[in-house]
Structures are given as C-alpha cells and as structure tokens.
Amino acid sequence: RDIAVHVFVSSSLPASTVSRPNYLADMQCAPLWDSSTRQFVGLLTVTDFIDVLRYYRRTKGDVSTLATRSISEILSDGNIVASVLVRHVPKCGRRDSAAGQAVAASSHHTTFLSASADTTLKQACRLLHNYSLDFLPIILPEDMRCLATITYTNILAHLVTHFREQRRLFDDTVYDLGIGTYNEDVVTARAKETLAEVLHTMHVNGLSAIPVIDDSGKVVGVYSRSDITFLAAATDAEDAVSNLDLTLEVLMSQRRTDVTTPDALHTCSKAHTLQSIFEYFAQWKFNRLIVVDEHERVVGVVSARDLVAYFLEHDTAMQ
C-alpha cells in the first residue's frame, strides 16, 4: 500500500524523450530494461537526468545532442559517469562515519538490485541500507514483471501502522537515541545560492534534499534533488540548463502551493520523542524532519532513512 506504481524504460530510448517534464513528473525512478538481453540492467532516476544537465552546463557541451543519444549511450559515457553520476554515501545519524565516500560497486545505473514479493521486510531494509539505495524494485522473477518500487518512507509507514514497542523506548527523544544528523554535520543551503551550486553540494554529500535558510540562519524551506520545477519552467533543453543558474529563492517561489509532497518542510525540536515523531509521520508521511531551535535555526535533520536504520540496527520491528 502507498508504494510507487512501476514504470520501466528501455535503455535504447533517446534521453530527451524521458527527460520531458510531463514524463518526469510521474517518474521518481524506473527500472532500466535492455531489450537485447531481455532483462533489467539498472535503475533510472529523476536526479540522473538533472545531473546530466549539470554535466552539460559545466562542460558547456551541446545539450541538443540529448535528442540523438540513447539512455544507454549516456550511462556508458565515462566522462559523465565519472563526474556527475558518481554516487556518494549519505550520512545516517551520528553512528555513521561513511558520509561523502564515493560508491563504485553498487551504482544503480549498472547494477540492478531488486527484491521479490517473498522478500521479508527485514531483508528489504538490509538491501536498501547496505547498498545505500533510495529505491528498491519488487520483481516477479518468473516473468520479470515489476510490481512496485519501495522506499524508506514506505517502510516507515508500515512500521508506524503496525509496530508496537513493549519497552518505554518511545519516551526517549530522537536526539538522545542518536537518530538523525546534528550540529556541524548538518549541510544547509542559502536561499540566494544558485541551483547549480546547491545540486553540487547535495551530490558530493550524498544528500537527496537540503534545508534552505535565509541570511539570519532561519529555515525557510527544503529543496529536493528530484525537484523538477526548473524543468517545468523551461521551453527546451538549453533553457533547462540556463535555469540551473536561477537561485533557490526564485525556484521556491514558483512551486505549487496547492499540493503537499513528502519533501515539504516539516520541523521538530531535539526534545521530540520517538513516539511524537511516529505520530507526526502518520499524519504527514514526510521524507524528513528538520530539527530547529527556538529561533527556527537548523540544528539537525531526521530522515525516514535514519528512523528505519535505527530499528534495523536494534533488530526491533523487523522480525
């Protein structure tokens, strides 16, 4: 329930076809199908297309060539793969010291990791966590059908609904339990920074989103790497590349205000208990909470990934 309906794309498709805003709006990720071998060979995400545009901006390349290059050609381009498509491990709470390290072996572009309908919740969590995945496709091996794609947010929704802790663990604060990233380890972006600058910051830190602050340090929003607002406002690929020079302030003002997404700004304090976080998630289904002080300045981030990783580490709720 509440898991992403699957879409899959052929690696032979022109990149320009799949990168259209109306296509990307319905596709956070998609298994990549190789028609010659008749098997899934990788995973394609919205951020991949955004990162390719960053590459063309940085190298001043002819972005119109996207109309003639297939997805497989782009993902085989050593210059692109070695720069903007290099993966970095995100930090998962104060217990994780691997932040910022590049991941070579488990690139989702060339390695297809999936689970079957018989995979247990704990096994799925292990795959997501051990390989630092954001998405895990569920495949029926007998006919290679992709049933759905699950995320940390999907798993947390299940835990919130079904988990009942016998101990009084839920009375402890998320800060005391070590859940989340805090203080000097928190990466933020200023509203006046350009999108290109912020996307680079998120890329090298392995972040899927970043808190946005004003000149006084007060949090004013969250920007997600998969946000396609700048693409929706573009008339063509060249215009999309030019929009990477827009500031977050401008882009955030262009967002729709009549819809609520999991990447919307939600805040809490260090004093919030795990129980209160669970209740909050049950209501809003957020991807992350921004931890703020009494002056609404960012002091931490607690993500769905952090919460699931905590339960996985303690082997509770995953049996």
Side-chain angles (χ1 to χ4, degrees), residues 15 46-59 63 66 69 74-75 80 84-85 241 244:
V46 171
T47 57
D48 292 331
F49 290 108
I50 294 174
D51 287 337
V52 169
L53 291 177
R54 289 199 302 120
Y55 173 81
Y56 276 91
R57 175 189 175 275
R58 194 184 70 184
T59 60
V63 73
L66 286 176
R69 302 186 72 184
I74 289 176
L75 296 181
I80 294 177
V84 295
L85 294 184
V241 171
L244 289 171

Side-chain angles (χ1 to χ4, degrees), residues 151-161 278 281 286 304 307-308:
T151 66
Y152 283 106
T153 305
N154 302 141
I155 293 173
L156 185 57
H158 175 83
L159 294 181
V160 167
T161 303
F278 260 38
F281 179 88
F286 55 80
L307 291 162
V308 172

Side-chain angles (χ1 to χ4, degrees), residues 58-133:
R58 194 184 70 184
T59 60
K60 297 181 171 55
D62 183 3
V63 73
S64 65
T65 59
L66 286 176
T68 59
R69 302 186 72 184
S70 69
I71 294 171
S72 60
E73 287 175 335
I74 289 176
L75 296 181
S76 299
D77 187 319
N79 292 325
I80 294 177
V81 172
S83 54
V84 295
L85 294 184
V86 169
R87 293 186 60 223
H88 295 267
V89 179
K91 189 163 189 173
C92 186
R94 286 174 282 174
R95 303 176 305 279
D96 194 337
S97 61
Q101 295 180 8
V103 177
S106 59
S107 171
H108 63 258
H109 311 113
T110 57
T111 302
F112 186 69
L113 294 172
S114 64
S116 71
D118 296 326
T119 300
T120 67
L121 177 65
K122 185 175 181 179
Q123 289 169 336
C125 288
R126 288 288 180 199
L127 282 170
L128 282 166
H129 186 69
N130 292 347
Y131 290 94
S132 192
L133 304 176

Side-chain angles (χ1 to χ4, degrees), residues 9-18 32-36 41 44 66-73:
V9 298
S10 170
S11 60
S12 62
L13 276 177
S16 58
T17 299
V18 191
L32 191 59
W33 177 261
D34 187 330
S35 56
S36 62
V41 294
L44 201 62
L66 286 176
T68 59
R69 302 186 72 184
S70 69
I71 294 171
S72 60
E73 287 175 335

Side-chain angles (χ1 to χ4, degrees), residues 188-193 211-221 247 249 295-298:
T188 61
R190 300 228 170 231
K192 295 188 183 300
E193 288 185 71
V212 182
I213 60 176
D214 62 17
D215 290 336
S216 67
K218 177 181 176 181
V219 63
V220 294
T247 65
E249 195 171 39
H295 302 294
E296 296 186 39
R297 291 175 300 202
V298 179

Side-chain angles (χ1 to χ4, degrees), residues 53-54 57-58 60 191-199 230 238-251:
L53 291 177
R54 289 199 302 120
R57 175 189 175 275
R58 194 184 70 184
K60 297 181 171 55
K192 295 188 183 300
E193 288 185 71
T194 67
L195 178 56
E197 292 171 332
V198 175
L199 287 172
F230 80 102
E238 288 82 359
D239 199 26
V241 171
S242 297
N243 284 350
L244 289 171
D245 291 319
L246 295 175
T247 65
L248 292 190
E249 195 171 39
V250 170
L251 287 169

